[in-house]
Amino acid sequence: MGILDFTEIPPANANNKYDEKNIDGFELFAQEFFGVLYDAEFIECATRGQDGGRDLLFLINEKGVKEKWAVSCKHNAYSLNPIGLYQEKKFYDTLVRTGADKLILFYSHTATSSLELELLETKRNREIFDFEIFNGDKIESKLLSSKNGKGWFLASRYFPKSFLRLFERFLCPINHYSEEDVIVESKNSIRISGPGGARVTFPEGQNIKKEITELIEYANERVTLSLHEAYFAKVLTEITQLWPSCFSYWGACPSEEIDISKIYPTFCKKSILEILRSENRYDAMIVCLIWTWWDEKLAHSIFHEAYIEQYGSLMSKENTRSILNISTVVGFCNLEKRNLVTRMVAFGHGNLSELTPWDKVAITTNCCGLRETLHNVLEDLYQQSSTQFGFDSRISTLSTIQKQLHEYASILGFEHVQKSLEPLFENLPSHTYLPFETLVQRKIKWTINTTFHFEWYNERINRS
C-alpha cells in the first residue's frame, strides 16, 4: 500500500464541483503535476466536456528536445479496477490526431496487463508511436522524490490527510503479540513467553483484562525497541564515520565484530578543540550532545573546558548545560546533521555505558584466543574462594565468565581478582578503547552491529 491515498481526490461526477469551472479533480491534479514537475507548456488544459480521448496536451523539454505529450486521465482509485484496453481503444488515433510525440496514460491506480501488452505491440509495429504509463505508484514516487521539493508541496495540497500521516508518527510499534499469546497461570499471574515477554503477578480481584492489555503493550514495546537497534546501529555507524576522533571501540574486537555495546566516546578535549578551530565549529556542540548519552557530566565538563580554552571567555557550567540541549544544538545543525541528532534521540539506548571490567576481560580473551588461559585463572580463583571461605552456592563454574568474575570479586575483592588477571593482559596493547581514527589510518571501513539478537520460533508461545 502506497503512502498517498488517491481517494482524497474526489471522483468525477456531475454533482461534484472541484472548483468554479467544474473541472474533474484528478484532471486538474494531472495538469498541476506536469506543470509543476515537468515545466509543461500547455496547449490544451483540463476542461469539462468532450476531449477527443485526451485530457491534456502540452509541450515539454525532454532531455534537451521539445516534445508534445497527450495525456489520458483515469481516476480508478475508488473502484481499484485496472484500466483495460476497451477504455483506451482509441489511443493510437489520439496520438495521430494531436500530432503528439508520446501518449501519457495517467492513472490513479493501475493498467491491465493486456493494455500494456497492446501498447508495447503497437510501439513495436509503428515507428511514430510512443507511450508512458504513470500509475499510482509512479506518480507517488515522482511527487515524493527527495530531489524535488515542488512535488512535496503539491502532495500536501492534494493529499492533506496522507501527508500528515507521513510525519505524524516517527516510531511505529510492532504489534507482535496479541491476547492469544497471553498465558493465564492463575487468578493472579499471567505471562508472555518469548522475546520481550514477562510474567506479571497481581493481587486477587484485580481486573485481569486490564493486566493482560498492559502486558501485551509492554511486550510489544520491548520487541519494537529491540528491533529498533538496527536503526540505532546505522546512525551510530554514520556518527563514528563523521567524527572518528571523538568515538572509540574496544580494541580487541576485529572491525567486523564491533557492536553498539563496544562503543564509547573518547571524551578527548583535544578533538573538541580541533572542531572548534575548524569551519564546522558548531559540530563540537553536536558531538558533546551525543556524548551525553554515555556520561552527561563528563561531556558538559569537556565542552566547558574546551570552549573557555578556545575563546578565552568565562562561561559558567549552567551556561554549558543550556547550550548542550537538543533545542539549542539543532538550531545550529544543517539538515543532514539534524537528521543524525533526530535519529539518535529516537532510536538511542537509555543505557549506553562503558563496558564493565569483566565484560572487557571476556571480550578480549575471546577475540585474542586466550579462553584456555583465562579458564586456568578462573579455576585458580574458584579454588581460592572455596579454600578460603568454604563452599559458596553463589559460585558456579558453568556461569558466564562475567558472572564468575563478579562473584569471585565479591568474595576475594575486586583488586585481588584484577591483579590475578594482569599477567593475562600485560602484553596485549588492544586491552583498551581505540579511537576510530585508527581504523581510518589503516583504511579499514566499519559497520556497527546490533548487540541483542532475538531467537524466533515457529510457535511464538510454548504452551506445554
Side-chain angles (χ1 to χ4, degrees):
M1 185 177 180
I3 295 170
L4 302 179
D5 179 4
F6 280 82
T7 62
E8 289 192 57
I9 298 177
N13 60 67
N15 297 321
N16 180 28
K17 294 184 178 182
Y18 191 76
D19 69 351
E20 66 274 7
K21 296 179 181 179
N22 198 20
I23 301 173
D24 284 347
F26 190 66
E27 291 181 18
L28 189 60
F29 165 65
Q31 180 176 304
E32 286 206 60
F33 178 89
F34 288 107
V36 169
L37 300 185
Y38 289 82
D39 295 323
E41 299 175 31
F42 288 97
I43 301 169
E44 294 179 12
C45 298
T47 181
R48 175 69 71 188
Q50 295 296 319
D51 55 18
R54 69 187 180 280
D55 299 304
L56 299 170
L57 189 65
F58 54 80
L59 297 171
I60 74 158
N61 195 317
E62 182 75 348
K63 297 179 181 178
V65 178
K66 188 162 278 193
E67 293 185 357
K68 185 189 289 185
W69 286 7
V71 181
S72 174
C73 299
K74 297 287 187 294
H75 193 10
N76 54 334
Y78 283 88
S79 67
L80 298 181
N81 294 323
I83 300 300
L85 182 60
Y86 71 95
Q87 292 163 287
E88 295 285 9
K89 56 186 176 182
K90 295 182 179 180
F91 55 77
Y92 180 71
D93 293 341
T94 300
L95 205 69
V96 172
R97 187 168 53 254
T98 60
D101 299 295
K102 183 184 281 190
L103 176 66
I104 303 296
L105 304 177
F106 194 82
Y107 303 153
S108 60
H109 188 42
T110 59
T112 62
S113 57
S114 59
L115 173 57
E116 292 190 42
L117 288 171
E118 184 70 20
L119 289 162
L120 287 168
E121 189 66 24
T122 304
K123 184 175 181 177
R124 276 195 292 268
N125 294 328
R126 298 177 185 264
E127 278 187 31
I128 64 169
F129 182 76
D130 196 10
F131 74 96
E132 187 171 352
I133 297 175
F134 283 74
N135 59 23
D137 288 340
K138 185 169 183 176
I139 294 169
E140 179 181 291
S141 68
K142 291 286 186 181
L143 282 173
L144 302 183
S145 169
S146 61
K147 298 179 181 178
N148 193 340
K150 295 177 182 178
W152 287 77
F153 283 103
L154 187 59
S156 71
R157 288 199 292 109
Y158 279 91
F159 307 93
K161 294 178 182 177
S162 301
F163 198 76
L164 285 176
R165 285 197 300 271
L166 188 62
F167 294 104
E168 71 181 0
R169 182 144 201 154
F170 193 72
L171 299 177
C172 296
I174 299 167
N175 295 317
H176 177 69
Y177 293 112
S178 61
E179 194 168 335
E180 65 182 19
D181 297 313
V182 178
I183 299 170
V184 179
E185 297 181 319
S186 66
K187 292 180 180 179
N188 64 336
S189 178
I190 57 175
R191 70 178 169 91
I192 288 180
S193 300
R199 174 181 282 103
V200 175
T201 58
F202 46 89
E204 286 193 31
Q206 194 94 340
N207 187 334
I208 192 168
K209 287 188 176 180
K210 180 175 178 291
E211 297 293 339
I212 287 173
T213 299
E214 289 181 355
L215 177 58
I216 292 168
E217 290 176 355
Y218 170 80
N220 282 331
E221 186 170 303
R222 290 188 66 195
V223 169
T224 300
L225 292 176
S226 296
L227 293 176
H228 281 169
E229 267 221 335
Y231 298 118
F232 183 51
K234 177 70 168 59
V235 72
L236 205 51
T237 299
E238 293 173 35
I239 287 169
T240 55
Q241 290 173 347
L242 197 56
W243 299 292
S245 67
C246 299
F247 295 89
S248 59
Y249 67 98
W250 189 245
C253 297
S255 59
E256 65 273 10
E257 292 182 18
I258 300 173
D259 63 48
I260 294 168
S261 70
K262 299 177 180 70
I263 307 301
Y264 195 64
T266 57
F267 290 116
C268 176
K269 185 173 72 172
K270 180 182 176 183
S271 297
I272 299 303
L273 281 168
E274 287 176 355
I275 297 173
L276 287 173
R277 291 164 183 166
S278 72
E279 60 181 16
N280 299 315
R281 62 185 183 278
Y282 295 121
D283 284 7
M285 297 167 59
I286 303 172
V287 169
C288 289
L289 175 66
I290 294 170
W291 281 0
T292 63
W293 262 264
W294 283 267
D295 192 323
E296 183 177 20
K297 186 176 180 180
L298 184 55
H300 285 184
S301 175
I302 290 174
F303 182 79
H304 182 256
E305 292 174 15
Y307 189 92
I308 291 173
E309 184 172 332
Q310 173 60 20
Y311 298 109
S313 60
L314 295 177
M315 179 175 64
S316 68
K317 291 186 178 180
E318 287 73 20
N319 285 342
T320 302
R321 282 193 292 272
S322 67
I323 290 173
L324 291 185
N325 65 66
I326 293 171
S327 62
T328 302
V329 172
V330 296
F332 291 94
C333 291
N334 59 25
L335 281 178
E336 179 188 354
K337 288 166 185 172
R338 180 181 286 232
N339 179 43
L340 284 178
V341 174
T342 302
R343 288 156 60 205
M344 183 77 187
V345 172
F347 304 118
H349 281 214
N351 59 343
L352 292 173
S353 62
E354 184 179 0
L355 288 167
T356 69
W358 311 138
D359 284 330
K360 294 175 181 178
V361 171
I363 292 167
T364 305
T365 52
N366 185 57
C367 292
C368 298
L370 296 171
R371 292 184 67 88
E372 187 175 342
T373 307
L374 176 62
H375 177 74
N376 294 332
V377 176
L378 293 175
E379 283 283 349
D380 184 52
L381 289 170
Y382 177 76
Q383 291 300 326
Q384 291 180 47
S385 299
S386 300
T387 301
Q388 191 167 349
F389 296 95
F391 177 76
D392 193 314
S393 60
R394 293 178 299 173
I395 299 174
S396 171
T397 54
L398 299 177
S399 298
T400 62
I401 293 170
Q402 293 94 319
K403 188 174 181 182
Q404 285 188 63
L405 288 168
H406 175 75
E407 297 299 346
Y408 299 144
S410 67
I411 294 170
L412 301 171
F414 179 89
E415 291 183 1
H416 180 89
V417 175
Q418 190 78 359
K419 191 171 183 179
S420 300
L421 294 168
E422 283 177 2
L424 187 66
F425 300 112
E426 59 186 8
N427 296 319
L428 292 176
S430 58
H431 186 57
T432 185
Y433 281 103
L434 298 177
F436 278 96
E437 264 187 330
T438 58
L439 295 180
V440 174
Q441 291 163 1
R442 290 154 58 190
K443 297 182 179 179
I444 295 175
K445 294 183 178 180
W446 66 90
T447 300
I448 296 171
N449 305 307
T450 56
T451 302
F452 302 108
H453 301 280
F454 279 153
E455 292 184 5
W456 300 97
Y457 303 92
N458 291 331
E459 294 184 7
R460 290 181 293 173
I461 300 298
N462 180 6
R463 293 184 170 83
S464 58

